Amino acid sequence: MRSVLSAAALVLSILLAAPAFAETATPVAAQSSSDLPAITVIQVSDRKMEDHVLAAGLIGPVEQVYVTPLIEGQQIETLDAEVGDSVSAGQVLATLSTATLTLQKSQMQANDASVKAAIAQAQAQLTNARNAAAEAQKTADRSAALLKQGATSTAANDQSQMAATSAAASVTVAEQALESAKAQQDLLAAQMANVDLQLSRTKVVSPVTGVVSARNAQIGAVATAAGQPMFVIIRDGALELRADVAEADIARIRVDQPATLSLASSATRITGHVRLVEPTVDTTTRLGRARISLDADPSVLAGMYAEADILVTSRDALAVPVTAVGSSGLETTVMAVKGGLVSRVPVTTGIRQDGWVEILTGLSKGDTIVAKAGAFVNDGDQINPIPSETN
């Protein structure tokens, strides 16, 4: 009896367990049919790509103007500008002594009065000489007429003619004396004009608008154009970065390209643009130089060190992650996926930026590729593609 009950219990337990076996059998079969590696894939899409060139150098003035005295030998009496001052064109920066020049002008004014008196005297003498010459000529004419009539002697006529000639010569001498006096007056006037010009130049003025960056003049010193200039002015206060650029990158830089600068002394970023690309490369350092004009900023000073990020180009282009790009021999390749089948595709790349690479040839927009080229897949593998969450 006990054996019969045991057998019945065994049969009952088998019947109760049968549905559980049936439910677990189906997933096992499904797993075996999709036993393929799950690989993350991404679609090729357009992306804004920017090409940048990095450079660094020192900040300096775009143009420096040296201010030197236009007259020499005069003592500096006052200084009206200091380093850091903003000055305008024509503003007085310093004044020189006028004592010597004022004395010279006084002497010339006295000489001018003397010359004017000499001119008046010469004019009077010329008038007298002309009158005497006219009278002598009349006498000579009468004597010549009387000689023809036989009413006078030849000796008397010759004497009359000689007197007329002498009187005419006196007129010429008087005219030359007057011209000499007038020439002396003109010379004196030119000398006085020169003194006036020198007196005006005792005021040393700024030739341009800008900022004074250096002052070498000292009160009491004698002004001279030799040696250091009295003042150095940064025209319009304009500064530029003289950036050293690698030889491989200098050919890509063009005038007016935008740039962003970072100062070593500040976290502030400053904008500017390429003003000039120098046409030579240093034969020792193999570096070229680009000059980047800076937007006005009071925190930027000449002599500061700065790094520049120059935007060479910006365009919308097909792009893929850097991780999707590999190499096969001398070729650059990506793993394209179509229908779950992987194939190696040669591509030509361009700009690289922030983990993305521009694709110039080899792919089209919408193509699917393996997001990581080294993800244990080979050309011809069958995979289970998993779309990437970021594209």
Side-chain angles (χ1 to χ4, degrees):
M1 183 64 180
R2 180 175 297 176
S3 60
V4 173
L5 293 175
S6 298
L10 179 61
V11 171
L12 181 60
S13 64
I14 292 174
L15 292 175
L16 292 174
F21 284 121
E23 290 176 2
T24 58
T26 300
V28 171
Q31 183 178 0
S32 61
S33 65
S34 60
D35 191 15
L36 297 174
I39 301 297
T40 302
V41 297
I42 192 170
Q43 281 192 334
V44 180
S45 61
D46 286 331
R47 189 180 186 89
K48 187 172 184 179
M49 300 295 291
E50 294 181 346
D51 191 12
H52 296 256
V53 169
L54 300 180
L58 297 178
I59 294 172
V62 174
E63 182 180 357
Q64 287 191 126
V65 178
Y66 293 162
V67 181
T68 57
L70 298 179
I71 59 171
E72 295 188 282
Q74 307 302 321
Q75 192 176 45
I76 300 173
E77 288 189 342
T78 65
L79 294 174
D80 303 305
E82 188 53 88
V83 173
D85 288 352
S86 295
V87 297
S88 56
Q91 180 176 333
V92 176
L93 305 179
T95 56
L96 309 181
S97 173
T98 61
T100 302
L101 295 173
T102 301
L103 178 60
Q104 290 179 5
K105 186 174 181 179
S106 298
Q107 292 173 342
M108 289 178 183
Q109 287 173 338
N111 291 338
D112 183 60
S114 176
V115 169
K116 287 179 179 179
I119 290 174
Q121 184 179 0
Q123 287 175 336
Q125 291 175 348
L126 177 60
T127 301
N128 292 334
R130 284 174 176 172
N131 292 335
E135 186 63 29
Q137 186 62 45
K138 290 179 181 179
T139 301
D141 292 341
R142 287 194 300 270
S143 177
L146 291 172
L147 180 63
K148 287 181 180 181
Q149 297 173 2
T152 186
S153 66
T154 302
N157 180 64
D158 290 344
Q159 187 175 3
S160 297
Q161 298 300 324
M162 290 177 62
T165 303
S166 178
S170 297
V171 171
T172 302
V173 171
E175 288 176 343
Q176 290 177 348
L178 178 60
E179 291 299 323
S180 177
K182 287 182 176 180
Q184 185 66 26
Q185 185 182 41
D186 291 340
L187 175 61
L188 193 58
Q191 291 175 342
M192 291 183 64
N194 182 56
V195 170
D196 287 337
L197 177 62
Q198 292 188 47
L199 282 170
S200 68
R201 288 178 172 178
T202 57
K203 294 185 180 298
V204 180
V205 300
S206 173
V208 297
T209 297
V211 177
V212 178
S213 61
R215 192 205 76 184
N216 301 308
Q218 299 292 332
I219 293 177
V222 176
T224 175
Q228 293 181 323
M230 294 180 67
F231 297 89
V232 179
I233 298 175
I234 301 174
R235 183 191 286 269
D236 299 324
L239 299 176
E240 66 180 4
L241 173 65
R242 295 163 188 172
D244 294 326
V245 183
E247 183 178 0
D249 294 329
I250 192 67
R252 295 191 291 149
I253 299 178
R254 297 288 183 272
V255 173
D256 290 333
Q257 288 175 342
T260 304
L261 278 67
S262 301
L263 299 177
S265 60
S266 172
T268 305
R269 298 179 70 83
I270 302 163
T271 57
H273 66 276
V274 177
R275 183 182 71 85
L276 173 69
V277 180
E278 295 187 5
T280 59
V281 172
D282 189 280
T283 56
T284 302
T285 63
R286 309 309 307 167
L287 295 174
R289 175 166 289 180
R291 298 193 180 191
I292 302 171
S293 293
L294 310 181
D295 295 339
D297 192 316
S299 66
V300 182
L301 303 176
M304 283 184 169
Y305 176 83
E307 296 178 346
D309 184 336
I310 305 170
L311 178 59
V312 174
T313 185
S314 177
R315 58 177 178 261
D316 290 330
L318 295 180
V320 300
V322 172
T323 55
V325 179
S327 60
S328 176
L330 298 178
E331 289 184 327
T332 301
T333 62
V334 298
M335 292 296 190
V337 179
K338 188 173 183 179
L341 183 65
V342 176
S343 60
R344 190 183 303 276
V345 177
V347 295
T348 304
T349 61
I351 300 171
R352 292 175 177 255
Q353 178 194 8
D354 298 335
W356 291 82
V357 181
E358 179 188 15
I359 301 298
L360 300 175
T361 62
L363 294 175
S364 301
K365 185 176 181 179
D367 288 351
T368 301
I369 62 171
V370 176
K372 294 184 179 181
F376 306 103
V377 291
N378 296 308
D379 190 20
D381 285 356
Q382 192 76 28
I383 64 169
N384 179 21
I386 307 298
S388 173
E389 294 181 359
T390 59
N391 195 13

